[in-house]
Amino acid sequence: MPRPEPKGGEPKAGRDPKDRLIVALDVETLGQAENLLDRLGDVVTTFKVGIQLFTSAGPQAVELVQKKGGRVFLDLKYHDIPSTVAGAVREAARLGVFMLTVHASGGLAMLEAGVLARGVLGKAAPILLAVTLLTSLDRAALQRELNVPLSVEGQALHLAQLANGAGLDGCVASPREARLLRNALGQHWVIVTPGVRPAGAERGDQARIASPEAAVGAGADYIVVGRPILEARDPARAAAAIVEAIARS
């Protein structure tokens, strides 16, 4: 299958640091999301709509972010048979999202079906990312629970290369694998890293984390931050501090 032109969003050279921070709207209601959007709108341009908010509010969550002038990273991690994933990706593309995710472990046929489906919008199609390994997994869980003999880094690279061969634009991986993936897949490959925690922030349920500076220094194009901003006394100030850290990296 011919590989489409990479859809890496804004040019990497000269990219505004605030465009590289994605705030996760991991909240229960549209009202909570709107409150955060109003407080963060001057600091952040891109917001993640994940499974919690989308299950609660559906496409209205996407529309709300767009109405407030933000870009949407739709992180629903589609993982199903190829035709089902194709239909979901097609509808997500029609919502006008900036980026969206599928699980790389769905296999080559599923990944290729997603690439073809998002092409419904041509040049306006969203960036399509493959989720490699959840940041809550460590090597012990990978081997003992999922029966995967490779190291975390080895499995993440394997899945990212599979996605690259299928024609996707990039992947989601922890900061710990970012440098390996950047070196292996080149500058065109879009790398989005969750599991980012500023100094002093709680680890939570993340097993593979790094600071904003470390994630960007390792090659991440975008970093996703949720609780350290959402739970801060002043979310805008917390987000601004992370943007400043990105600018210094």
Side-chain angles (χ1 to χ4, degrees):
M1 182 180 66
R3 179 179 174 81
E5 288 297 313
K7 304 182 68 61
E10 59 274 349
K12 294 191 178 187
R15 180 184 293 159
D16 190 328
K18 75 176 183 179
D19 292 335
R20 303 180 69 178
L21 170 61
I22 302 173
V23 173
L25 295 177
D26 293 334
V27 294
E28 296 179 359
T29 68
L30 279 179
Q32 292 171 316
E34 184 168 19
N35 178 264
L36 284 165
L37 290 165
D38 288 340
R39 299 179 73 175
L40 295 170
D42 292 336
V43 183
V44 181
T45 61
T46 309
F47 297 87
K48 187 196 86 169
V49 173
I51 55 177
Q52 180 180 12
L53 184 58
F54 198 85
T55 300
S56 170
Q60 287 184 339
V62 174
E63 295 165 3
L64 175 64
V65 175
Q66 294 168 335
K67 178 182 176 182
K68 297 289 185 178
R71 305 185 300 187
V72 176
F73 170 35
L74 186 63
D75 187 26
L76 301 183
K77 301 180 177 70
Y78 299 132
H79 188 174
D80 212 308
I81 62 173
S83 60
T84 299
V85 167
V89 169
R90 189 177 301 114
E91 296 309 316
R94 288 172 174 155
L95 289 175
V97 300
F98 174 55
M99 298 192 292
L100 65 111
T101 54
V102 298
H103 260 294
S105 56
L108 184 61
M110 189 206 81
L111 294 170
E112 290 179 338
V115 171
L116 290 174
R118 68 90 183 265
V120 68
L121 293 184
K123 292 183 178 180
I127 295 170
L128 186 59
L129 304 170
V131 176
T132 54
L133 292 170
L134 301 178
T135 52
S136 57
L137 295 174
D138 57 16
R139 183 170 184 175
L142 192 66
Q143 295 182 342
R144 183 178 62 248
E145 299 171 18
L146 301 182
N147 199 30
V148 175
L150 296 177
S151 66
V152 168
E153 294 80 7
Q155 182 69 355
L157 177 59
H158 168 69
L159 292 172
Q161 289 174 325
L162 182 71
N164 181 54
L168 278 77
D169 307 302
C171 69
V172 179
S174 91
R176 301 284 183 89
E177 296 91 60
R179 191 179 305 280
L180 173 67
L181 297 175
R182 176 62 66 220
N183 290 339
L185 295 167
Q187 292 303 310
H188 78 279
W189 189 248
V190 179
I191 299 176
V192 177
T193 58
V196 175
R197 292 288 186 269
E202 294 291 330
R203 176 184 291 267
D205 54 3
Q206 306 280 9
R208 307 188 325 276
I209 65 171
S211 68
E213 297 94 332
V216 172
D221 294 299
Y222 304 95
I223 64 173
V224 182
V225 183
R227 282 167 284 187
I229 293 175
L230 272 57
E231 297 175 0
R233 289 187 178 182
D234 186 341
R237 184 175 180 179
I242 294 173
V243 171
E244 290 173 4
I246 293 172
R248 294 192 302 267
S249 302

